[in-house]
Each structure stands twice: as C-alpha cells, then as structure tokens.
Amino acid sequence: VVQVAIYSFQDIDYAADTARWVGFENYATLFGDWFFRVDIGNTVKFAVVASLVQVALGTALALLLNREFRGRGVVLSVVVYPMMLSTLVCSAIWRSWFHHDVGVLNGALGWLGLPPVEWLSDPGLALWSVMLVDTWQWTPMTTLIVLAGLQSIPPEVVEAARTDGARSWVLLTRIVLPLVRGQIFLALLLRLIDTFKLFDKVYALTGGGPGNATETMSMYVYQKGFKFFDVGLAAAASVVMMAIACGLCAVY
C-alpha cells in the first residue's frame, strides 16, 4: 500500500526504468478525466443498488428459511448453490442466458410475446444485467449471515411477545429485525466493500462495455496500469479507491 501511494506521486517509465516525482499531477489528471468520473458513478451505483437489493432479498429468504418445513435442507442447499460457483463459471452461465438469439431470458420473453432484449449490448441495461448476475451469486451469503442471526434469537423472547398479543408484523419489526440488526449491517458492509471493488464479472461479461457503460474503478486501474502502463495514474486511482473503501468502513 505504501509503495502504491509513492507510485501515485511519480511518473514511471518502465522502458527506461526511471521514475520522476510529479507531486499531485496524477491526481489532477485523474479527476480531470471524464472517463474516471463516469467510472466512479458506475461503481457507486453498482455498489449501493446491488448491496441493498442483496441484503433485502437475503433477509427475506432468511426469514422464510428460519422455520421448519419438509424439504428445508434441500431448499437451503439450492439457495446457497450459486455462491459456491466460481465467478468465471457463474459469468459463463449468465452469458449463455443473456444470449440474444438462444438465451433463456429472451426465450422466455418470446414465449410471452415480448421482443428480445440486448442484455449486455444496451448501454442503458448492461450495468443492471451485471447487477442481476452479482445478486444471483451473492444473495445467498447475506441469507446465511442473517439466518445465523435469526437462529441465535432465544425462542423465549418470541414466545413472550406472542403471549403479550404481538401480531406477526409487530413481532417482525419490533422484535426480530432489531435483534438481527448487527448481522444485517455486517452483511451490508461486506457486500458494499465487495461490490465496490468489482472487477471479475465486468471483465468476464462485458469488458467494461458497451462504451464504458459498465466500466468500474477497478477496470480503470487495470486498463491504465496493465494495458497502457501508466502506473502513476493507476496508482492514484487505487489510492482513491482505498480512501473510499476506508470511508465505508468508518461509517459502519
């Protein structure tokens, strides 16, 4: 981390194996770059929306699974399964489902009499499609975290509330959810940090396109550092990412 911070104040020439101190020039260039500002917007939108949706869905699933019913173990296994796939395998599955001509999703739309959708080629839809993939894969993690919290609630507390005449909605909002608030916020923090540094799904599904509609800050760092070898600018972007991530942790 210290080395990257030092690089962010230098102009590094790998061919000549030299480094020239330039102060805050890389940061000025960075925030003057329209593409970087768009990438910040994409990253923040993805992190906030995807994290909130995943935590909301995960909490709902945890509440449904926090009761005994026939086949509960099988259902829980199916719910957790996407999280056990590697990201590249998950992305490959969804690329086939998103296929314009033979994909499952457009096939379902055609069966309903609706026109096919350019899931990964439409600039206005591509980022939301990547969010859908991330939500499918990582909602199970939030489900497990919240479910663990629900199962740690003493049954006597719930029974006492029911004995006092608490209805289901009051029991949920006044007793159950406040008792698992810590687990919910922990799940939200973990998903915020993970989605904020998103790289692999974008790389596998869209490569940052169409245009830069799905390009994130991590993709920006990768392209500047490993495609164009502008290490100083890539290091400056990495420092900005680290500062924002530390801010998220501080808020938690």
Side-chain angles (χ1 to χ4, degrees), residues 5 16 50 52 60 62 82 100 132 162 165 169 186 201 221 225 230 242:
L52 290 175
H100 182 270
L132 177 61
R162 284 182 176 149
W169 178 251
L186 174 62
K201 283 188 181 68
V221 171
D230 193 341
M242 184 183 67

Side-chain angles (χ1 to χ4, degrees), residues 50-66 76 79 135 138-148 150 177 180 183-184 187 191:
S51 299
L52 290 175
V53 169
Q54 289 168 28
V55 171
L57 288 176
T59 301
L61 284 172
L63 290 169
L64 290 174
L65 292 169
N66 189 39
L76 184 58
V79 168
T135 299
W138 290 113
T139 294
M141 189 187 79
T142 65
T143 300
L144 291 179
I145 293 174
V146 179
L147 182 60
L150 290 171
L177 290 181
V180 295
Q183 286 84 356
I184 291 174
R191 293 313 304 144

Side-chain angles (χ1 to χ4, degrees), residues 184-215:
I184 291 174
F185 278 107
L186 174 62
L188 181 61
L189 173 70
L190 293 176
R191 293 313 304 144
L192 270 173
I193 292 175
D194 199 40
T195 52
F196 182 77
K197 59 188 178 71
L198 176 75
F199 174 83
D200 42 13
K201 283 188 181 68
V202 172
Y203 184 84
L205 287 169
T206 65
N212 66 329
T214 59
E215 188 174 294

